[in-house]
């Protein structure tokens, strides 16, 4: 095996200090915007790709109006999986993976009326 050539290092010239032995250090203070508050919504929704685009738009708008209550996530883990209709095979597959499944009308109802959760 051939060895890579060693890198050649050049010595840095000594740092010049101002006459009189004093030097100034400059620093800048940068304003940092406040951290975004942590959101812990009650509903995490994972949308099935089979949901029609116009219904997805409705769900996204409902979620946008109440970001502290619900959010749409990319992962089904820990989320309610929203299906437009209950296909037996799809539901069985999700349940095998221990996913919670709800229908699209129920998801819309949950987003429109928070009291549904308590019923």
């Amino acid at each position: 095996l051939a060895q890579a050539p060693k890198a050649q290092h050049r010595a840095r010239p000594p740092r010049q200090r101002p006459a009189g032995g004093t030097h100034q250090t400059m620093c800048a203070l940068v304003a940092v915007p406040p951290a975004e508050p942590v959101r812990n919504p009650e509903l995490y929704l994972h949308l099935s790709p089979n949901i029609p685009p116009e219904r997805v738009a409705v769900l996204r708008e409902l979620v946008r109006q109440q970001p502290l209550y619900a959010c749409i996530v990319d992962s089904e883990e820990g989320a309610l999986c929203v299906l437009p209709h209950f296909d037996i095979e799809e539901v069985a597959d999700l349940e095998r993976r221990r996913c919670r499944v709800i229908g699209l009308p129920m998801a819309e109802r949950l987003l429109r009326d928070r009291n549904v959760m308590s019923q």
Side-chain angles (χ1 to χ4, degrees), residues 66-102:
Q66 43 197 341
L68 297 177
Y69 175 63
C71 69
I72 295 173
V73 295
D74 294 328
S75 171
E76 28 182 70
E77 189 173 324
L80 292 172
C81 296
V82 182
L83 302 178
H85 47 79
F86 287 103
D87 174 32
I88 300 298
E89 293 172 11
E90 186 177 14
V91 172
D93 183 44
L94 288 167
E95 288 179 341
R96 269 193 297 280
R97 294 192 313 248
R98 305 228 185 270
C99 296
R100 298 175 297 164
V101 180
I102 64 170

Side-chain angles (χ1 to χ4, degrees), residues 19-95:
T22 63
H23 65 280
Q24 294 178 345
T25 303
M26 295 182 71
C27 67
L29 297 176
V30 178
V32 178
E36 189 175 307
V38 177
R39 291 185 347 163
N40 288 325
E42 294 177 41
L43 289 177
Y44 291 90
L45 303 174
H46 174 73
L47 306 182
S48 165
N50 299 329
I51 298 175
E54 61 276 0
R55 300 286 293 273
V56 170
V58 169
L59 287 174
R60 288 192 184 283
E61 179 59 25
L62 290 169
V63 166
R64 189 192 64 74
Q65 292 172 6
Q66 43 197 341
L68 297 177
Y69 175 63
C71 69
I72 295 173
V73 295
D74 294 328
S75 171
E76 28 182 70
E77 189 173 324
L80 292 172
C81 296
V82 182
L83 302 178
H85 47 79
F86 287 103
D87 174 32
I88 300 298
E89 293 172 11
E90 186 177 14
V91 172
D93 183 44
L94 288 167
E95 288 179 341

